[in-house]
Each structure stands twice: as structure tokens, then as C-alpha cells.
Amino acid sequence: DYVNTQIIYSTHSTHISEVSKIKNTNIISKTERGCVAFQPSTDLSVSQITFVERYLDAIRSNLLFAKSVVLVEGDAEEILIPVLVEKVFGVSLDELGITLVNMRSTGFENIALLFHDVRIQKKCSVITDLDSLFFDATINLGDSVSVIKTKVKAQGSNDKGAARKVALDNLCNGNNWLSPFYAKHTFEVDFVESGNSKYLIDILDSVYLDQSTKNKSKRELGSVIAASGARALTMANHQGKGWFAITLSNSIDFNVTIPEYIVDAIIFAHGKFSDQVIYEIINYRF
């Protein structure tokens, strides 16, 4: 009975956006030049559109409504970055208008491409690990099977990280809305390398039961990055990275040092800070 009828509805519901076809979706955004409509599927192939539609579940589709976005690859970043920002600056990511989305993989390309001059004109930072070696992975005569396995795995991760950087740099090159930011190693290793070993030492009782393991871990965490970084990863893997991040978040205070690449990613996504936000941060720090 309703031939040639078009229905248009507006919503902030992530559940509706989850089941909507991305090619039939427009995003209305308030910018410095007024209200602007963005069409997320412009110039995307059928396969790219299909991937985006499958990916945007009720949780992740909130990136369509965000003022700006930070994409991360794992649970540790999803749990700890909001804690780090609030503890250090006294403002939350929500207050800054930043939505953090956990990709749960390193396959950023098919979602990051949404942020572009012809699609969604909003800032998006991509945070990922380079997995660069932080110890000598040379295989020596006399190395045990387990040591050889560890070195081979570390070298493989290093090589994959380098290749991932090339691919992401190429994706972001010339795109003013999109930028990659890299942990030199992994989040846990870079967190320790930034001078935060104290917080891992503080949670040893929550991670380990054996006193000799706690003592050894404390010595390693106070040592060079080859030892402290390895111990940080061992702790995370022992407890599970998600649970480890939750445990660590409970020990973090305002004296924590946020790894530089994370600060840079937040600044890029947010853009210029208002005088009011700067005042609130300074007032909080004092």
C-alpha cells in the first residue's frame, strides 16, 4: 500500500546501527563549519562494505557516533588506557569526546578506512604493537629447546610487527583523519620501560602465590628491560592479559607515566584542547 515510500529515521542507538546497512546510513555531525552529513560507504567495494557491516556489532558501532576514535588491538589497552588518562589528567576519555574501540586483533585496515575525506571526517588514532625485540634473539649453541622456541617466536613477532608498520603507514599516508601510533615492543613492556615497574611490583602478591617466584620477579622488575620486560609479559600471560590489566589498574595512581605513544594518540584523536579542559587538568594535577 506504500509504493515508492522512503522512510528516514534518526537514532543514537547502537543496536539499530548494528542491524542497519552501512550503505543506507548517513552520519550527521556538528563541526566548526556547521552540520555535515557523512556517508561511510562512499567508494568502498562490496567486500569492504560487507566486512564493516559484520564488524559493527552493538558495541563497536559506537564509533559511528563518536566525536573521535582510538582503535586498539587488545584487552590490556582497552582496560588500562582509560585508567591511565583519568589518573594522570583527571578527565575521562568520555569527557574528552574520545571513543576507544577494541579491535581484538591487528587487522585495523578494514575499519580504519572509514575515516577519510570522502567518508567519515573524524580523527582516528590506531594504536598497535611493533613487537620489536627487547632481548638478544640470537640462537646460541647450548640453548635449551624452550629458549630456542622463545627466541624464534620473538623474532617472528618482530618481523610481523615491522611488516604491519609498513602496511599501516601506507594506509594512513596522506589521510589527515587517520594516524598510527606504535608501542615499540608491546603495551606491557613499554609500560615498564616508561618507568612504571613499581606498579607491577605492587601487584606481585595478586599474581603469584610462591614466595620465591615473587622475590625473583621483584629482582627482574628492578633490572634492565630485557629482564623487566620479560617478567612483565610473563605476569600478563600467567594471569591472562585481561585479568592482569584489571589487577594492574587497581594499583595505578596519579604518579604513573603514560607511554609516549599513547599520549600522542590521544592528542591526535582529540585535537586542540579547550582552555577549560586545560584548566581542569592543571587544577587536578595541583
Side-chain angles (χ1 to χ4, degrees):
D1 293 336
Y2 298 95
V3 179
N4 297 324
T5 299
Q6 182 181 37
I7 298 175
I8 299 174
Y9 58 88
S10 64
T11 182
H12 287 89
S13 169
T14 56
H15 295 284
I16 292 177
S17 63
E18 175 195 1
V19 297
S20 300
K21 296 294 184 182
I22 198 73
K23 65 182 179 181
N24 296 327
T25 300
N26 289 285
I27 298 172
I28 310 299
S29 182
K30 184 178 180 181
T31 70
E32 293 179 353
R33 61 184 188 277
C35 288
V36 180
F38 304 132
Q39 222 299 319
S41 65
T42 301
D43 291 345
L44 295 184
S45 67
V46 173
S47 62
Q48 288 173 323
I49 290 173
T50 299
F51 183 95
V52 170
E53 289 178 344
R54 288 176 178 172
Y55 180 83
L56 293 180
D57 59 20
I59 297 173
R60 299 185 184 100
S61 63
N62 61 3
L63 66 82
L64 297 176
F65 305 108
K67 292 181 180 178
S68 59
V69 174
V70 174
L71 302 179
V72 299
E73 68 177 69
D75 294 341
E77 292 87 352
E78 180 183 22
I79 293 166
L80 285 169
I81 288 177
V83 174
L84 291 171
V85 171
E86 190 152 14
K87 289 292 185 180
V88 171
F89 299 117
V91 291
S92 67
L93 290 181
D94 285 341
E95 289 175 288
L96 294 175
I98 297 173
T99 294
L100 189 146
V101 178
N102 184 357
M103 296 290 293
R104 290 187 167 81
S105 75
T106 57
F108 296 97
E109 291 83 355
N110 287 310
I111 293 300
L113 54 72
L114 288 173
F115 302 92
H116 191 277
D117 269 337
V118 300
R119 287 180 282 278
I120 303 175
Q121 295 178 13
K122 296 180 182 180
K123 295 284 189 177
C124 175
S125 296
V126 177
I127 293 179
T128 188
D129 298 337
L130 285 180
D131 291 318
S132 299
L133 292 168
F134 58 92
F135 59 87
D136 185 3
T138 304
I139 297 175
N140 301 308
L141 188 66
D143 282 346
S144 66
V145 173
S146 61
V147 168
I148 292 174
K149 184 178 179 180
T150 297
K151 289 182 176 181
V152 169
K153 182 179 179 180
Q155 184 64 60
S157 296
N158 176 88
D159 297 343
K160 289 179 182 177
R164 184 161 60 249
K165 184 179 189 304
V166 171
L168 265 179
D169 286 348
N170 287 336
L171 176 71
C172 299
N173 186 36
N175 186 343
N176 294 326
W177 305 103
L178 186 65
S179 184
F181 298 88
Y182 302 101
K184 184 178 178 182
H185 309 294
T186 67
F187 174 83
E188 292 83 5
V189 177
D190 284 51
F191 182 77
V192 168
E193 194 171 30
S194 297
N196 296 310
S197 294
K198 167 191 178 298
Y199 300 103
L200 275 74
I201 293 172
D202 288 345
I203 63 171
L204 284 173
D205 286 339
S206 300
V207 178
Y208 296 122
L209 296 175
D210 180 64
Q211 188 59 49
S212 63
T213 303
K214 295 178 190 177
N215 294 339
K216 181 182 179 183
S217 300
K218 186 174 182 179
R219 290 194 301 272
E220 291 173 345
L221 288 168
S223 184
V224 296
I225 189 61
S228 59
R231 176 51 61 182
L233 283 176
T234 299
M235 291 174 68
N237 291 327
H238 175 78
Q239 196 173 27
K241 287 202 170 187
W243 286 112
F244 176 74
I246 292 171
T247 303
L248 185 57
S249 69
N250 291 326
S251 77
I252 289 173
D253 60 22
F254 66 92
N255 287 312
V256 70
T257 299
I258 304 178
E260 187 175 353
Y261 72 96
I262 294 176
V263 175
D264 291 341
I266 297 297
I267 291 173
F268 176 82
H270 182 275
K272 183 180 178 181
F273 286 81
S274 68
D275 291 342
Q276 179 62 35
V277 170
I278 292 173
Y279 171 78
E280 289 177 8
I281 292 172
I282 293 173
N283 188 54
Y284 167 78
R285 294 303 299 180
F286 275 109

